[in-house]
Amino acid sequence: QVHLVESGGGSVQAAGSLRLSCAVAIYTYWPGCMAWFRQTPGKEREWVTFLYTSSGSTQYADSVKGRFTISQDNAKKTIFLQMNSLKPEDTAMYYCAARATQCVYEPAAFPNWGQGTQVTVSS
C-alpha cells in the first residue's frame, strides 16, 4: 500500500508549462516504479511516462516525448512531471501511480494511485 498525494495542476495557455507533484505520503512498500497516466472523460486511461526509482531510468509515450520530463526527489519522497510546450490535447486528469517492481504500461497493473489533478490547456 502506497498513499500518493498529487498537486500542481491548473489551467495554462498553449505553449505554457506546469509541474505536477506526487508525494509518497505513507507506504508499506517502497515502489520500484512510479508512473504518470492521464484520462479524459469517455476515454481509456493513457500511459504517459514511468520512472524506475532505483536507477532513474525513464520512458515516455510518443505523444509527450521531448516535452514532458519525469523526475524524483528522494529527500522529499516526491515524483514530478515537468510539462513544457503544452498543447490543448494534453488537457486531462493526470494521475500518478506506484508499483512494487517492474514498470509496465497497463494502468490495471498499478495498485496504488493518486487522487488526480486536472490539467487544462487552452488555445
Side-chain angles (χ1 to χ4, degrees):
Q1 178 66 38
V2 175
H3 183 212
L4 306 174
V5 179
E6 299 182 36
S7 63
S11 298
V12 297
Q13 293 184 339
S17 297
L18 284 173
R19 188 178 75 160
L20 308 184
S21 298
C22 176
V24 181
I26 57 175
Y27 59 92
T28 56
Y29 74 91
W30 189 250
C33 177
M34 296 288 294
W36 289 95
F37 295 82
R38 63 187 183 186
Q39 188 169 26
T40 300
K43 296 183 179 180
E44 294 183 355
R45 192 159 295 189
E46 175 190 16
W47 172 74
V48 176
T49 180
F50 60 57
L51 164 76
Y52 280 96
T53 58
S54 60
S55 69
S57 180
T58 61
Q59 288 188 28
Y60 298 90
D62 288 342
S63 59
V64 306
K65 192 173 297 182
R67 300 187 297 119
F68 291 12
T69 304
I70 186 172
S71 62
Q72 64 181 333
D73 185 324
N74 291 329
K76 296 181 179 179
K77 294 182 173 62
T78 300
I79 304 298
F80 302 98
L81 182 64
Q82 179 67 46
M83 304 184 294
N84 298 326
S85 302
L86 283 163
K87 305 174 181 179
E89 50 263 46
D90 295 318
T91 295
M93 186 73 74
Y94 283 72
Y95 298 91
C96 64
R99 196 167 189 266
T101 55
Q102 193 71 239
C103 282
V104 296
Y105 308 116
E106 298 80 10
F110 285 79
N112 301 120
W113 293 84
Q115 81 280 10
T117 185
Q118 179 67 37
V119 171
T120 302
V121 185
S122 60
S123 60

